[in-house]
Amino acid sequence: MTVKPLADAGAPETAAARRESLIGVGYGLAAFLFWGVAPIYFKLVAHVAAPEILAHRIAWSAVFLVLLVGLLRRWHGVVAALTSWRLFLPLLLSAAILSANWFTYIVAVNSGQVLQASLGYYINPLVNVLLGMIFLKERLRPAQIAAVALAAIGVAVMVGAAGQIPWIALFLGFSFGFYGLIRKMVPVDAISGLSVEAVALTPFALGYIFWLGNAGSFGAVGLATDLLLVAAGLVTLLPLLWFNASAKRLKLSTVGILQYVAPTGQFLLAVLLFGENFTPVHMVTFACIWAGLALYTADALRGNKGRER
């Protein structure tokens, strides 16, 4: 009797896992590349006031999310979150933080400060480490402490040399960090949580749009502007769906590395396409942040390999 090798029996599963990982990388690259070139979209609607862009982004995101939830038949999670104060109140807070983050990003892009926006999303992973230590009592490893310190030095260099605090970068990095912290602590899946956030904000968004009336851009400037404002919902939703599809298939450390694609794209757009001034002070600041991120990533990969053993 011939015994089939155990390695052969496991080969199909290995191939399937490898295929899922490749699909996950594809989705992750799609999401982060999209976020990396998103400033181009906001430049196209720069003639619309930032509050109105935000209102349309919220309203149309809610429309597309309702359609998606209906298509996927995920109403149970949404209804459960809407009818539980324990779930709804934290999501209301995360929605407010997310809308403030979106508004600041829109203002940054349309005021020619994409470089600061990219800096904010570069420091975000290190902000997450800091918030985990403060609020979740997570212990930092020496490499993580050094990474956060390098980021702090980079910001301090900009403050000392330029004489001003990079408020946009810090607000984007910390607001998205707090948003992620809240969402991590609330037991709601990604699509249901985002749907509840959109539904909670939509009355305010619609109220603002109707209050603007004829003074607003929608329906007054032209068809191209109307279509661009409607597209704000897709600009918001598509990369989030791709990100979720990626996160389900990849290790957290892999997703963490891929996320640097987005601020890198923003950085390149700021310097090469939008002509923003990249000074020696910026060079030192970004070098410190990049060094910190390299240290953080290397430490995360080492920790991941250790857990696999």
Side-chain angles (χ1 to χ4, degrees), residues 133-247:
M133 178 191 71
I134 296 172
F135 293 98
L136 302 179
K137 308 303 179 185
E138 295 176 354
R139 290 189 175 182
L140 298 190
R141 296 186 291 273
Q144 292 176 315
I145 295 173
V148 172
L150 279 168
I153 291 170
V155 173
V157 167
M158 181 170 285
V159 173
Q164 59 182 17
I165 298 173
W167 289 113
I168 289 176
L170 291 175
F171 185 83
L172 288 174
F174 274 89
S175 61
F176 204 69
F178 275 106
Y179 173 77
L181 177 68
I182 294 171
R183 289 301 304 271
K184 181 180 176 68
M185 298 171 70
V186 181
V188 178
D189 68 90
I191 292 178
S192 297
L194 191 62
S195 299
V196 171
E197 290 168 343
V199 168
L201 292 173
T202 295
F204 300 100
L206 290 177
Y208 182 74
I209 291 170
F210 285 120
W211 177 78
L212 282 176
N214 293 332
S217 298
F218 192 78
V221 176
L223 180 60
T225 295
D226 293 346
L227 292 176
L228 282 170
L229 289 174
V230 172
L234 292 175
V235 168
T236 300
L237 188 57
L238 284 177
L240 284 172
L241 293 176
W242 295 333
F243 172 77
N244 287 326
S246 173

Side-chain angles (χ1 to χ4, degrees), residues 113-120 122-123 149-171 267 276-290:
Q113 299 185 78
V114 178
L115 207 53
Q116 266 216 58
S118 72
L119 177 61
Y122 270 128
I123 68 173
L150 279 168
I153 291 170
V155 173
V157 167
M158 181 170 285
V159 173
Q164 59 182 17
I165 298 173
W167 289 113
I168 289 176
L170 291 175
F171 185 83
F267 172 83
E276 293 187 22
N277 192 22
F278 188 63
T279 66
V281 174
H282 284 107
M283 191 175 296
V284 174
T285 297
F286 274 88
C288 289
I289 302 297
W290 289 331

